[in-house]
Amino acid sequence: AEDGIRDSSTSRGLGDVYKRQIYVHWPFCVSKCPYCDFNSHINKDIDVTKWKQAYISELHWMAKLYQEKAKNPGQVDSVFFGGGTPTLMPVSIIEEILETIDTLFPLASNVEITAEANPSSTETQRLASFKSTGINRISVGAQSLNPKTLSFLGRSHSVQDIYNALNEAMGLFKHVSADFMYGMPEQTASGWIYELEQILQLGLSHISAYQLTIEPGTQFYTRSNKGEVLTCNEEIMADLYELTTNMMSKNGFELYEVSNYAKPDACCRHNLIYWNSQDWLGIGPGAHGRFTIANNSRWHSQTRRSPEGWLSATQDNQHGIDIYNEDDEAEFARELILMGLRLSSGIDMPDWLFQKEKLINLSWLQQFKEDKLINLHKNCLLYTSDAADDSLRVDLGGRRI
C-alpha cells in the first residue's frame, strides 16, 4: 500500500470472487416486537401443502428467470431463511425448499445454509430437526442479556432461554451467531460493558450488535411521536459503539461491517453477498432480489408483502413478484457504493464506474481523500476512522447520497 492506502489487490471478503445466494422469507412470528419494521405477521395455522407448493413454484419461476437474464449465473454459495421467525416453519417445507434448490442450482461444496431463530424453549427443541434438513448455521435473536431490556423490547424469552438456546445450538452447528441491541433510553457505558463481558463469555464466533433505531410503522415509532424517549442520545450512542468495537477487537473479533463482528473465517457469507452487491434471489412474501444483467444494470424484484396476497399470486402466476425493474448503471453505482462502504475492508469499484463521468464525481473523491474521509487507491475505496457515519456523500449523476 502507498501512503497508508490499501492496494486494490488486497483480499476483501467476497469482493474478488463472484457469489450468489437465495433468500427465503417466512413472514410469521409468535408476536410483533415494538421496534420491528420487518415484514412479519402474527403466527397462525397455515395450509402446509399450499405454502410448500407456493415456495416451490416461485423457486422454479425465479430459477428460470435467473438463467435467462443473469450475466453470471452459477453455483449458489448461500441459502438464508429469514423472517419473521423461520424456525416456526414446518420442517417439511424447509426440506422441500432445500431439495428443490439442489435440483435447480449447482450448490457450492461448502454452501452456507442459515436460519434465524428466537431463543424460545419451543424453537430450541426443534434445532436438531433443522440440522437434519441441511441447515448448518444458526443466527439467534437474543437481543439482550439484561431482563429489563428484554422486557422493554417486548421479547417473550428470558435470559436463561438465551443460554439454553445457544448451548443447544453450539452443540449442533459449527457456526452460531447471535444478535444483540444497545442504545436503550437509560443505558450507561458501565452497564453495556458489563453486558458485553457476559456476551463475550458465550463462546460465539459471530456477533451482531445493533443500535436501537426507531423505524416508521413500528409501535416504538408511534410512541416516539407522542413524545416518549425510547433511545439514548446520539453522543452516548456513539460512545457505546466505540467501546463495543474496542472490546470486541480485544477479544479477537474483527469489525468487518458497521454492526457485525466475527472471529477469523466466521464472517456471514449471506451478508457479504449483499454488501458486495452480488446476486441473490428473494423467495417468499415481501422478499427482495437483485442480480446483475447485461450492460452493468441490475434486475430488481420485490414480491407481495401480504402473506395471503403472495400465496394467491403464486397460485395464479407461479410467482408473487409485485414490483420489478431494471436498475440502470447509475442505480447500480449507488448500490455498490452505499452497500460496499458498510464494509471495514472497503470495496473494489469496477472499471466501468470511472469510464462515465456522470456515474461518479472523481473530483469529489479526491477531495474526500484529501480530507482523510476515505482512502482511495486504484479502484479501492475505503472509509477512514475520521469519517463520521453521515459525513461521506458521493455524487452520482447529480444526485447526492
Side-chain angles (χ1 to χ4, degrees):
E2 299 175 6
D3 301 323
I5 299 173
R6 288 177 184 263
D7 187 281
S8 63
S9 64
T10 303
S11 175
R12 277 173 297 281
L14 301 182
D16 57 340
V17 180
Y18 209 84
K19 300 287 183 179
R20 304 154 193 86
Q21 74 162 310
I22 297 173
Y23 173 80
V24 182
H25 189 77
W26 180 255
F28 300 114
C29 286
V30 173
S31 61
K32 185 75 172 180
C33 296
Y35 58 85
C36 177
D37 68 333
F38 295 156
N39 184 32
S40 60
H41 306 262
I42 303 303
N43 190 39
K44 61 181 182 179
D45 292 334
I46 66 166
D47 186 319
V48 173
T49 300
K50 287 183 179 180
W51 274 82
K52 183 188 300 183
Q53 186 55 49
Y55 280 110
I56 302 313
S57 294
E58 191 161 77
L59 270 169
H60 277 274
W61 197 90
M62 290 285 197
K64 182 179 179 182
L65 175 72
Y66 185 59
Q67 294 298 330
E68 290 175 351
K69 285 185 168 287
K71 182 178 181 180
N72 295 301
Q75 69 180 18
V76 170
D77 300 272
S78 171
V79 179
F80 193 96
F81 291 89
T85 308
T87 41
L88 295 176
M89 292 180 76
V91 172
S92 63
I93 294 181
I94 293 180
E95 289 177 331
E96 190 79 17
I97 288 172
L98 291 176
E99 289 173 4
T100 302
I101 290 173
D102 193 28
T103 62
L104 294 174
F105 302 90
L107 296 180
S109 59
N110 63 340
V111 60
E112 174 190 273
I113 306 177
T114 303
E116 293 177 332
N118 283 327
S120 71
S121 57
T122 301
E123 292 175 65
T124 298
Q125 293 170 5
R126 303 184 71 208
L127 289 177
S129 63
F130 276 76
K131 182 182 179 181
S132 69
T133 67
I135 289 169
N136 53 32
R137 184 178 182 275
I138 288 289
S139 178
V140 178
Q143 308 311 345
S144 180
L145 295 180
N146 184 317
K148 289 184 178 180
T149 301
L150 288 177
S151 177
F152 171 74
L153 294 174
R155 306 296 288 177
S156 58
H157 57 264
S158 67
V159 173
Q160 188 58 53
D161 288 335
I162 295 172
Y163 283 108
N164 293 342
L166 291 177
N167 285 335
E168 179 72 12
M170 287 189 283
L172 291 168
F173 302 94
K174 180 179 179 181
H175 296 291
V176 178
S177 176
D179 294 353
F180 293 93
M181 196 175 295
Y182 62 94
M184 310 308 137
E186 299 179 359
Q187 193 162 34
T188 63
S190 60
W192 179 232
I193 289 172
Y194 175 73
E195 187 171 347
L196 276 175
E197 290 172 343
Q198 294 177 298
I199 292 170
L200 288 164
Q201 292 174 12
L202 294 171
L204 296 163
S205 59
H206 188 284
I207 294 171
S208 298
Y210 299 109
Q211 298 177 358
L212 175 60
T213 55
I214 308 302
E215 301 290 351
T218 65
Q219 296 176 38
F220 274 2
Y221 185 78
T222 301
R223 290 165 57 181
S224 177
N225 282 345
K226 293 179 179 179
E228 192 171 351
V229 178
L230 297 171
T231 65
C232 62
N233 67 46
E234 292 183 359
E235 290 186 4
I236 294 175
M237 192 77 84
D239 290 341
L240 295 178
Y241 182 78
E242 185 175 358
L243 71 85
T244 301
T245 299
N246 289 340
M247 286 187 65
M248 291 291 184
S249 176
K250 290 177 181 178
N251 285 272
F253 286 86
E254 176 192 2
L255 174 67
Y256 72 99
E257 188 270 345
V258 290
S259 299
N260 284 269
Y261 305 83
K263 291 287 184 72
D265 301 320
C267 293
C268 177
R269 193 178 307 169
H270 160 79
N271 288 339
L272 284 169
I273 288 172
Y274 289 156
W275 298 324
N276 281 290
S277 298
Q278 297 180 331
D279 288 2
W280 75 91
L281 300 180
I283 309 297
H288 290 250
R290 281 184 174 82
F291 58 83
T292 305
I293 54 181
N295 302 319
N296 303 320
S297 56
R298 299 272 276 174
W299 174 269
H300 174 203
S301 65
Q302 178 181 343
T303 58
R304 296 187 65 174
R305 286 179 60 86
S306 162
E308 293 78 12
W310 175 82
L311 183 64
S312 176
T314 56
Q315 292 171 333
D316 293 340
N317 307 316
Q318 295 184 295
H319 67 87
I321 291 179
D322 191 35
I323 301 171
Y324 66 90
N325 54 62
E326 292 186 8
D327 293 342
D328 60 17
E329 286 183 330
E331 290 298 327
F332 190 8
R334 288 165 62 88
E335 179 188 350
L336 282 167
I337 296 171
L338 281 171
M339 299 301 286
L341 282 178
R342 298 176 66 95
L343 295 167
S344 60
S345 56
I347 51 173
D348 284 327
M349 297 188 291
D351 290 336
W352 57 263
L353 264 178
F354 298 88
Q355 293 167 358
K356 297 181 180 179
E357 188 173 344
K358 68 177 182 179
L359 293 180
I360 194 164
N361 190 315
L362 298 180
S363 63
W364 278 34
L365 288 183
Q366 183 60 34
Q367 185 62 55
F368 293 147
K369 178 180 174 182
E370 292 175 3
D371 292 342
K372 301 186 185 305
L373 294 175
I374 62 170
N375 287 333
L376 180 63
H377 181 70
K378 296 182 180 178
N379 287 18
C380 178
L381 178 64
L382 172 71
Y383 71 85
T384 69
S385 58
D386 292 336
D389 288 346
D390 61 348
S391 291
L392 186 58
R393 299 289 185 269
V394 179
D395 187 359
L396 298 171
R399 292 168 295 181
R400 294 186 66 180
I401 56 175

PDB file of all heavy atoms in Angstrom, residues 18 27 52 115 138 148 179 213 235 265 281:
ATOM      1  N   TYR A  18     -17.053 -13.952  -7.362  1.00  0.00           N
ATOM      2  CA  TYR A  18     -18.486 -13.722  -7.532  1.00  0.00           C
ATOM      3  C   TYR A  18     -19.278 -14.775  -6.768  1.00  0.00           C
ATOM      4  O   TYR A  18     -19.039 -15.970  -6.889  1.00  0.00           O
ATOM      5  CB  TYR A  18     -18.848 -13.755  -9.017  1.00  0.00           C
ATOM      6  CG  TYR A  18     -20.030 -12.877  -9.311  1.00  0.00           C
ATOM      7  CD1 TYR A  18     -19.867 -11.518  -9.531  1.00  0.00           C
ATOM      8  CD2 TYR A  18     -21.318 -13.393  -9.339  1.00  0.00           C
ATOM      9  CE1 TYR A  18     -20.941 -10.685  -9.771  1.00  0.00           C
ATOM     10  CE2 TYR A  18     -22.403 -12.581  -9.581  1.00  0.00           C
ATOM     11  CZ  TYR A  18     -22.211 -11.230  -9.799  1.00  0.00           C
ATOM     12  OH  TYR A  18     -23.288 -10.418 -10.023  1.00  0.00           O
ATOM     13  N   PRO A  27     -42.874 -15.253   6.867  1.00  0.00           N
ATOM     14  CA  PRO A  27     -43.384 -13.989   7.385  1.00  0.00           C
ATOM     15  C   PRO A  27     -44.031 -14.039   8.764  1.00  0.00           C
ATOM     16  O   PRO A  27     -44.524 -13.014   9.235  1.00  0.00           O
ATOM     17  CB  PRO A  27     -44.439 -13.624   6.334  1.00  0.00           C
ATOM     18  CG  PRO A  27     -44.992 -14.948   5.903  1.00  0.00           C
ATOM     19  CD  PRO A  27     -43.820 -15.888   5.924  1.00  0.00           C
ATOM     20  N   LYS A  52     -46.139 -24.901   0.921  1.00  0.00           N
ATOM     21  CA  LYS A  52     -44.993 -25.622   0.359  1.00  0.00           C
ATOM     22  C   LYS A  52     -44.979 -25.488  -1.159  1.00  0.00           C
ATOM     23  O   LYS A  52     -43.954 -25.173  -1.770  1.00  0.00           O
ATOM     24  CB  LYS A  52     -45.063 -27.092   0.767  1.00  0.00           C
ATOM     25  CG  LYS A  52     -43.880 -27.922   0.297  1.00  0.00           C
ATOM     26  CD  LYS A  52     -44.108 -29.405   0.579  1.00  0.00           C
ATOM     27  CE  LYS A  52     -44.302 -29.686   2.038  1.00  0.00           C
ATOM     28  NZ  LYS A  52     -44.458 -31.142   2.314  1.00  0.00           N
ATOM     29  N   ALA A 115     -30.424 -20.283   9.179  1.00  0.00           N
ATOM     30  CA  ALA A 115     -31.793 -19.990   9.609  1.00  0.00           C
ATOM     31  C   ALA A 115     -31.745 -19.081  10.821  1.00  0.00           C
ATOM     32  O   ALA A 115     -30.932 -19.278  11.729  1.00  0.00           O
ATOM     33  CB  ALA A 115     -32.559 -21.273   9.943  1.00  0.00           C
ATOM     34  N   ILE A 138     -26.817 -21.139  12.411  1.00  0.00           N
ATOM     35  CA  ILE A 138     -27.982 -20.595  13.107  1.00  0.00           C
ATOM     36  C   ILE A 138     -27.650 -19.192  13.603  1.00  0.00           C
ATOM     37  O   ILE A 138     -26.558 -18.942  14.134  1.00  0.00           O
ATOM     38  CB  ILE A 138     -28.389 -21.485  14.302  1.00  0.00           C
ATOM     39  CG1 ILE A 138     -29.027 -22.781  13.800  1.00  0.00           C
ATOM     40  CG2 ILE A 138     -29.339 -20.768  15.236  1.00  0.00           C
ATOM     41  CD1 ILE A 138     -30.412 -22.618  13.201  1.00  0.00           C
ATOM     42  N   LYS A 148     -34.439  -6.486  32.064  1.00  0.00           N
ATOM     43  CA  LYS A 148     -35.211  -5.250  31.886  1.00  0.00           C
ATOM     44  C   LYS A 148     -35.233  -4.833  30.418  1.00  0.00           C
ATOM     45  O   LYS A 148     -36.252  -4.356  29.906  1.00  0.00           O
ATOM     46  CB  LYS A 148     -34.630  -4.137  32.748  1.00  0.00           C
ATOM     47  CG  LYS A 148     -34.860  -4.324  34.242  1.00  0.00           C
ATOM     48  CD  LYS A 148     -34.338  -3.128  35.026  1.00  0.00           C
ATOM     49  CE  LYS A 148     -34.613  -3.295  36.518  1.00  0.00           C
ATOM     50  NZ  LYS A 148     -34.105  -2.136  37.311  1.00  0.00           N
ATOM     51  N   ASP A 179     -27.665 -12.024  17.769  1.00  0.00           N
ATOM     52  CA  ASP A 179     -27.916 -10.586  17.649  1.00  0.00           C
ATOM     53  C   ASP A 179     -28.124  -9.979  19.025  1.00  0.00           C
ATOM     54  O   ASP A 179     -28.837 -10.548  19.865  1.00  0.00           O
ATOM     55  CB  ASP A 179     -29.181 -10.320  16.824  1.00  0.00           C
ATOM     56  CG  ASP A 179     -29.053 -10.745  15.379  1.00  0.00           C
ATOM     57  OD1 ASP A 179     -27.945 -11.135  14.962  1.00  0.00           O
ATOM     58  OD2 ASP A 179     -30.072 -10.697  14.665  1.00  0.00           O
ATOM     59  N   THR A 213     -32.861   1.690  16.724  1.00  0.00           N
ATOM     60  CA  THR A 213     -33.347   2.808  15.914  1.00  0.00           C
ATOM     61  C   THR A 213     -34.864   2.749  15.848  1.00  0.00           C
ATOM     62  O   THR A 213     -35.456   1.669  15.890  1.00  0.00           O
ATOM     63  CB  THR A 213     -32.769   2.767  14.487  1.00  0.00           C
ATOM     64  OG1 THR A 213     -33.067   1.494  13.887  1.00  0.00           O
ATOM     65  CG2 THR A 213     -31.269   2.956  14.496  1.00  0.00           C
ATOM     66  N   GLU A 235     -24.723  11.202  21.417  1.00  0.00           N
ATOM     67  CA  GLU A 235     -23.362  11.172  21.962  1.00  0.00           C
ATOM     68  C   GLU A 235     -23.117   9.885  22.738  1.00  0.00           C
ATOM     69  O   GLU A 235     -22.060   9.259  22.612  1.00  0.00           O
ATOM     70  CB  GLU A 235     -23.132  12.394  22.852  1.00  0.00           C
ATOM     71  CG  GLU A 235     -23.047  13.709  22.087  1.00  0.00           C
ATOM     72  CD  GLU A 235     -22.669  14.872  22.990  1.00  0.00           C
ATOM     73  OE1 GLU A 235     -22.410  14.630  24.194  1.00  0.00           O
ATOM     74  OE2 GLU A 235     -22.623  16.005  22.485  1.00  0.00           O
ATOM     75  N   ASP A 265     -12.534 -16.413   9.782  1.00  0.00           N
ATOM     76  CA  ASP A 265     -13.274 -17.381   8.966  1.00  0.00           C
ATOM     77  C   ASP A 265     -14.716 -17.577   9.426  1.00  0.00           C
ATOM     78  O   ASP A 265     -15.345 -18.593   9.101  1.00  0.00           O
ATOM     79  CB  ASP A 265     -12.561 -18.750   8.949  1.00  0.00           C
ATOM     80  CG  ASP A 265     -11.156 -18.664   8.400  1.00  0.00           C
ATOM     81  OD1 ASP A 265     -10.956 -17.927   7.416  1.00  0.00           O
ATOM     82  OD2 ASP A 265     -10.248 -19.306   8.961  1.00  0.00           O
ATOM     83  N   LEU A 281     -31.566 -14.177  -5.132  1.00  0.00           N
ATOM     84  CA  LEU A 281     -32.974 -14.321  -5.475  1.00  0.00           C
ATOM     85  C   LEU A 281     -33.776 -14.271  -4.185  1.00  0.00           C
ATOM     86  O   LEU A 281     -33.427 -14.933  -3.206  1.00  0.00           O
ATOM     87  CB  LEU A 281     -33.233 -15.644  -6.193  1.00  0.00           C
ATOM     88  CG  LEU A 281     -32.472 -15.860  -7.505  1.00  0.00           C
ATOM     89  CD1 LEU A 281     -32.827 -17.224  -8.092  1.00  0.00           C
ATOM     90  CD2 LEU A 281     -32.784 -14.752  -8.499  1.00  0.00           C
TER      91      LEU A 281
END
